[in-house]
Structure formats: structure tokens, C-alpha cells
Amino acid sequence: MIQEQTLLKVIDNSGAKIAKCIKVLNGSKKIYAKIGDLIIVVIKNSNINSKIKKGQIVKAIIVRTKFPFKRNDGTSLSFSDNAIILLNNQNQMIGTRVFGVLAREIKSFYFNKIFSLSNELV
């Protein structure tokens, strides 16, 4: 579960490394976000020569969480870190590559491009 002030790892090649959640979208009183939810983040650490700079505010989608979540078949799944992929205002990826493992639930949230760019799925 991701909430405000949570530090997250960026797993695309946009240039950002670490981001902090500042708002959970899709509901006025929603406190926690899970895999597939949209959040607003501020960039805390980035590469020097990247188009994403420190302090910039962007949208992101959560692709991995430490908190275990249950699938419809009853199995639970958790990852070793909290990870996101950065999006622009039209909900399209800023980067062109995705590093690491993704959960299969992202496909059900209409982000098929992210799903197709990943090399491993769980």
C-alpha cells in the first residue's frame, strides 16, 4: 500500500531514480494506492542529463509494492520494493524501456504499452 510521503523507485529510462508520492488519484478520500493505481509524485533524485529534473511533479503508475495483494484465484503476491513508471499528462510513458518484473494486473488497467515493454511478468 502506497500513501503520501512514500519513497518509490522509478524503473523506466526517463532519468529519474527516486520519487516521493504526494497525492493518490481516483477518489477524493482515497488514502492508499495499490498496483495499477495512478499517483502524483515529485522527483527526489535524477540523472544530470535527463529530461526529468529534480523537483518536477509528474503522474505515475504503481507497478510493484512490498505489501502483499491477493489475486482473484486466491494467491498472494509481494515484491521486494515499491516501484513506479512515470507518465505524462496524457497517461503515456515518458521513458521507452521498462526494467524489472511487472505484475500481470497492470494489463487490466488499460496500460497495454507498459505491459508489452516489460521483459518479465509475474
Side-chain angles (χ1 to χ4, degrees):
M1 295 176 140
I2 306 298
Q3 59 185 354
E4 291 182 7
Q5 305 296 318
T6 303
L7 291 176
L8 305 155
K9 182 179 175 183
V10 180
I11 61 165
D12 59 6
N13 65 343
S14 61
K17 295 178 184 176
I18 304 288
K20 184 190 277 190
C21 176
I22 57 172
K23 182 69 178 161
V24 178
L25 297 178
N26 299 336
S28 62
K29 296 185 181 185
K30 193 169 182 182
I31 299 172
Y32 300 111
K34 57 185 186 340
I35 290 180
D37 285 347
L38 291 174
I39 59 174
I40 297 178
V41 297
V42 62
I43 305 301
K44 289 294 183 181
N45 192 0
S46 68
N47 291 335
I48 297 169
N49 296 328
S50 66
K51 55 185 170 182
I52 301 294
K53 303 294 182 194
K54 180 180 176 183
Q56 191 172 351
I57 297 173
V58 293
K59 284 185 185 179
I61 182 171
I62 300 172
V63 293
R64 293 195 300 241
T65 59
K66 288 184 180 180
F67 191 81
F69 68 96
K70 288 200 170 219
R71 290 187 166 165
N72 293 335
D73 60 357
T75 60
S76 67
L77 183 64
S78 64
F79 296 97
S80 62
D81 62 346
N82 297 321
I84 59 171
I85 294 176
L86 299 180
L87 305 172
N88 60 12
N89 289 335
Q90 290 80 27
N91 291 340
Q92 297 172 349
M93 287 182 53
I94 294 174
T96 57
R97 292 175 56 195
V98 176
F99 305 111
V101 180
L102 298 182
R104 207 176 0 184
E105 282 72 19
I106 294 173
K107 188 173 184 180
S108 63
F109 295 108
Y110 307 109
F111 291 101
N112 291 327
K113 180 163 181 160
I114 296 171
F115 191 71
S116 66
L117 287 175
S118 66
N119 53 1
E120 293 182 47
L121 301 171
V122 177

